[in-house]
Amino acid sequence: MAIKVAAIIGSVREGSMNLRLVEFMKERYADRLDIEAVTINNIPLFNPDIEENVPQEVVEFRNKVKSADAVLFAVPEYNYSIPGSLKNAIDWLSRGGFVLREKPAFIVGSSMGVLGSVRAQIHLREVLSNPSLSPMLLPGNEVYIGSVHEKMNENNEITDSGTLGFLDQVVDNFVAFYNKMA
Ligand code: FNR
């Protein structure tokens, strides 16, 4: 049976390359991964004052993560870090049940620049290492897709064979990692 994956889209932009990448992965790896793109567009700002009465959007977001077998983070880079909207969503996941703890997870990231979100992913890994978050991140596999607009066509297909082969290998590695953890 396919692994149910909540793919958290780190960009709120309609034409997001990271969203398009996840849509591509959903199709390409459907035999092994049942990917749902989870958007964070409507998540209110985290505020401890409203934790007793958590907004419905946050309840639904947490439930999507909780009910998934695994999590995929699709990460853009803003100013050498993750977008504030993604940090905000992750802050909500650090409270109210610790839904990320020990959840198998992996990270992909793309940008139109050459480095493909490398600095953002370094920050993301640091944030996720907090004990209140602590997913089980696939070790030794880092996906940075730079110049993504030159590697994906209008049908959201990755056309660059090197990138495609690498992504296939990372997904194979994640499935093996997941099965070992299960
Ligand atoms: C960016 N972008 C960017 N890219 C990068 O490689 N390093 C960076 O520090 C930044 N900083 C940055 C700040 C702001 C405010 C914007 C709007 C953009 C480019 C960004 O990564 C690129 O537009 C991605 O395509 C965004 O991801 P989505 O929305 O396409 O998924």
Side-chain angles (χ1 to χ4, degrees):
M1 215 166 66
I3 303 164
K4 192 175 170 204
V5 179
I8 298 176
I9 311 300
S11 171
V12 300
R13 194 168 73 85
E14 200 178 331
S16 162
M17 302 303 286
N18 286 282
L19 173 59
R20 292 173 59 192
L21 174 63
V22 165
E23 297 295 350
F24 172 74
M25 293 177 71
K26 181 182 168 74
E27 294 288 319
R28 184 167 179 88
Y29 305 116
D31 57 329
R32 284 167 297 155
L33 305 181
D34 175 12
I35 295 180
E36 181 189 3
V38 176
T39 55
I40 56 172
N41 299 41
N42 299 319
I43 307 284
L45 285 181
F46 176 74
N47 180 348
D49 293 344
I50 58 172
E51 277 194 281
E52 293 299 309
N53 193 9
V54 175
Q56 187 57 28
E57 295 91 338
V58 173
V59 173
E60 286 167 17
F61 176 57
R62 281 180 180 161
N63 283 343
K64 281 182 183 171
V65 172
K66 188 177 178 182
S67 65
D69 300 320
V71 169
L72 168 63
F73 293 91
V75 193
E77 182 165 304
Y78 277 6
N79 300 313
Y80 296 171
S81 187
I82 57 175
S85 48
L86 176 59
K87 177 64 164 57
N88 178 62
I90 291 172
D91 286 341
W92 277 114
L93 295 182
S94 72
R95 312 281 284 192
F98 308 123
V99 293
L100 273 179
R101 253 191 205 161
E102 298 191 359
K103 184 84 73 181
F106 68 123
I107 301 172
V108 296
S110 65
S111 90
M112 298 189 218
V114 287
L115 293 181
S117 80
V118 60
R119 290 183 177 98
Q121 292 194 41
I122 290 167
H123 277 181
L124 178 61
R125 284 172 195 276
E126 189 170 347
V127 168
L128 292 176
S129 70
N130 185 279
S132 300
L133 295 161
S134 296
M136 286 193 297
L137 277 176
L138 173 67
N141 288 260
E142 300 177 15
V143 181
Y144 310 119
I145 305 181
S147 306
V148 63
H149 54 295
E150 295 169 7
K151 296 173 180 163
M152 185 184 275
N153 67 19
E154 62 278 6
N155 298 321
N156 300 348
E157 292 159 339
I158 299 275
T159 49
D160 180 74
S161 60
T163 303
L164 203 49
F166 181 68
L167 200 56
D168 288 349
Q169 184 63 60
V170 170
V171 169
D172 284 350
N173 294 345
F174 178 72
V175 172
F177 171 75
Y178 178 88
N179 289 331
K180 206 151 75 175
M181 294 296 138

